[in-house]
Every structure is written in C-alpha cells, then in structure tokens.
Amino acid sequence: LAAGKGVVVTSDVEEAKAHAAGCERVVIEEFLDGPEVSLFAVTDGETVVPLQPAQDFKRALDGDEGPNTGGMGAYSPLPWADPELVDDVLRTVLQPTVDELRRRGTPFSGLLYAGLAITSRGVRVIEFNARFGDPETQVVLARLKSPLASLLLASANGTLADLEPLRWSEDAAVTVVVASHNYPGTPRTGDPITGLAEVAAEDAPHAYVLHAGTKQDGNTVVSAGGRVLSVTATGEDLAEARERAYRAVARIGLDGSHHRTDIAAKAAETAETAATGA
Ligand code: GLY
C-alpha cells in the first residue's frame, strides 16, 4: 500500500532486518508465496453472491517489473485456479465476513471485493474493498450475462436470496490499459487519442474501448489522466481474447503512451497446455 513505499518483501532475513532497523514502527506480515486473485461478491447483508474471479497486473512493465500502478490489465477466467476456488472463498471468507459484520451491528450491503493470495498454505485475504476493482471489473462484467441492474437492485432491496443464479458466458475476457506518458508518475495529459472510431468499426462487438482518463476537447478526445483507456475483448479462450484486445490496442494512437504486452499471456499458455494435454 502507499504505492509500495516502506514495504520490503523478501526471503532474505538480513535484508528484512536492515530495513526494519531503519523504521520507527514495524509490521511483520506472513509472506504470501502465491498468485493474487480478485473476487467480487454482491451482498444484501445476508446473502452473498460471488462473481467470477479475475487477476489484475499491478506493475507498470512487462514481466511484473517497474513501479506499482492502479492496474495495467486483467483477465478472466483463471484457467490455473482450482474450480472450487469461488465456493471455498464464499464459505471460508465472504459469507463469514458478511455474517460477522451483521452480528456486530454494522451490516454491510453492496460490493465486497476480496483481494486474495492463493498461497501454498491456502487462500489468504490481502485486503477488502467496498467497491468494484479496476481493471478487473472490465473483464468480469464482460462475462456476466445476467443483468447487472437486477443484481444491484436485489442487493439494495435485500432480496438476493430470491435472485436466479447468475449466468456467465463461457468466453474469456482480457483488458489492456493504455496509460499516459510518465504514468504512474505525474502523467502528461491533453494528448489527442486516435483510432477510437477504427476500433468501433473493425473490432466491435468482440473488442471495445472503455474510457477512463479521457475528455472531449472540441471534436477530439484527449487524455485526461494516468490510465486513459481500457481496451477490452472477449473470445472463445484467453488466447483469442488477447489477440483481439491487442489488435484493438494497436489501432489506438496516443503520443508517449505505454501498455503492457503480456496481459494474460501466461494464463493463455496454461489454458492451451490444459486443453492439448501438452
Ligand atoms: N485492481 C486493484 C483495485 O481496484 O484496487
């Protein structure tokens, strides 16, 4: 947290000690050795309806290098994850959390976002947020076939127990964030964005552009923030969704912008290996 400042993650005890010696107060946390997963759930304070899990990419550069960001891309589903993951997290994390909040007289309804690490010792909760996550939401909602509005209304009305089970597309979804020059440092803004009409004409409906840090300047759309666009695509599998997303990204012009080229790359390979048995 706090842009990773003051945090050292290491398997070297001496490095940990040296860092701790330079700090006034020290918090030591369990080392989490597995991949991260974001799992969102909608609750009305009693019933908890989990969505599909997603994984985001927090570092700015390929290969998980470079500084932390708000998220440079995401994908769903997770071909490498245990098929029981969602049920397990619902049973061991989400439902007990919602039940305990209610028991304490502070009931919670809305969107509960569990940031998880799948470690060799089991699932660990890194954080909770009371909001959708970005950019995971782009891929989770791309796969949701049930109307989102009905889900949110049932959460607000306390009727989630009566809601039909959510329907999900079998398709995979990938989103790639196009970020401004210098992001995650102070981003340069005001640069014209080109290619939006070409994506709409050539790549829709499988690929599309979601605007984040943009604004209209006369007849031109210009950058207005660090993470400018999320280019999202669906496909029969992660490989196809990736290909479509990156084809659309290639049409976008934004001077000085950068994006990761490896979003969902490893997961797509895992899925292919599982499918071919190779
Ligand atoms: N993707 C991380 C977050 O939304 O906090």
Side-chain angles (χ1 to χ4, degrees):
L1 294 182
K5 289 193 194 77
V7 179
V8 166
V9 181
T10 179
S11 52
D12 179 342
V13 174
E14 292 312 316
E15 189 190 358
K17 281 184 181 166
H19 180 68
C23 297
E24 225 167 86
R25 294 168 68 201
V26 182
V27 176
I28 300 172
E29 292 192 335
E30 181 185 358
F31 179 75
L32 304 175
D33 61 1
E36 289 184 28
V37 169
S38 300
L39 183 61
F40 307 151
V42 176
T43 177
D44 55 11
E46 289 199 19
T47 303
V48 182
V49 177
L51 307 189
Q52 288 286 306
Q55 189 174 50
D56 75 342
F57 293 74
K58 295 200 171 71
R59 300 295 200 93
L61 307 176
D62 284 0
D64 291 330
E65 301 282 341
N68 264 326
T69 71
M72 295 297 289
Y75 68 92
S76 178
L78 312 178
W80 48 267
D82 183 341
E84 302 295 314
L85 176 71
V86 174
D87 287 347
D88 284 351
V89 175
L90 175 63
R91 187 172 42 80
T92 60
V93 176
L94 296 168
Q95 190 69 58
T97 301
V98 167
D99 291 346
E100 179 62 12
L101 286 167
R102 192 175 63 251
R103 192 190 68 77
R104 291 183 184 195
T106 53
F108 174 77
S109 61
L111 194 294
L112 187 60
Y113 162 156
L116 307 166
I118 314 300
T119 79
S120 52
R121 293 176 306 283
V123 173
R124 296 288 187 272
V125 177
I126 304 170
E127 60 175 355
F128 283 119
N129 291 301
R131 58 166 173 80
F132 277 105
D134 176 17
E136 299 95 309
T137 303
Q138 287 87 310
V139 289
V140 172
L141 295 189
R143 301 186 54 228
L144 179 63
K145 286 164 78 177
S146 305
L148 177 66
S150 306
L151 177 64
L152 300 182
L153 185 64
S155 162
N157 288 343
T159 55
L160 275 178
D162 304 327
L163 195 74
E164 283 183 10
L166 295 180
R167 287 175 293 110
W168 293 97
S169 164
E170 293 293 314
D171 282 355
V174 170
T175 194
V176 179
V177 169
V178 177
S180 329
H181 177 71
N182 205 38
Y183 177 81
T186 308
R188 193 175 79 199
T189 57
D191 287 304
I193 301 165
T194 59
L196 297 170
E198 285 83 348
V199 173
E202 304 293 334
D203 303 316
H206 298 298
Y208 47 90
V209 175
L210 296 166
H211 290 236
T214 67
K215 69 174 185 184
Q216 190 85 27
D217 184 6
N219 287 331
T220 313
V221 177
V222 299
S223 58
R227 288 184 296 157
V228 180
L229 306 166
S230 274
V231 181
T232 306
T234 54
E236 268 185 24
D237 54 22
L238 284 172
E240 188 177 49
R242 250 177 73 72
E243 192 189 308
R244 287 172 170 166
Y246 279 110
R247 194 184 310 145
V249 167
R251 296 190 206 277
I252 303 291
L254 173 61
D255 191 37
S257 69
H258 61 99
H259 63 268
R260 281 184 60 156
T261 64
D262 62 348
I263 303 299
K266 272 195 209 140
E269 271 173 35
T270 310
E272 196 172 339
T273 308
T276 60

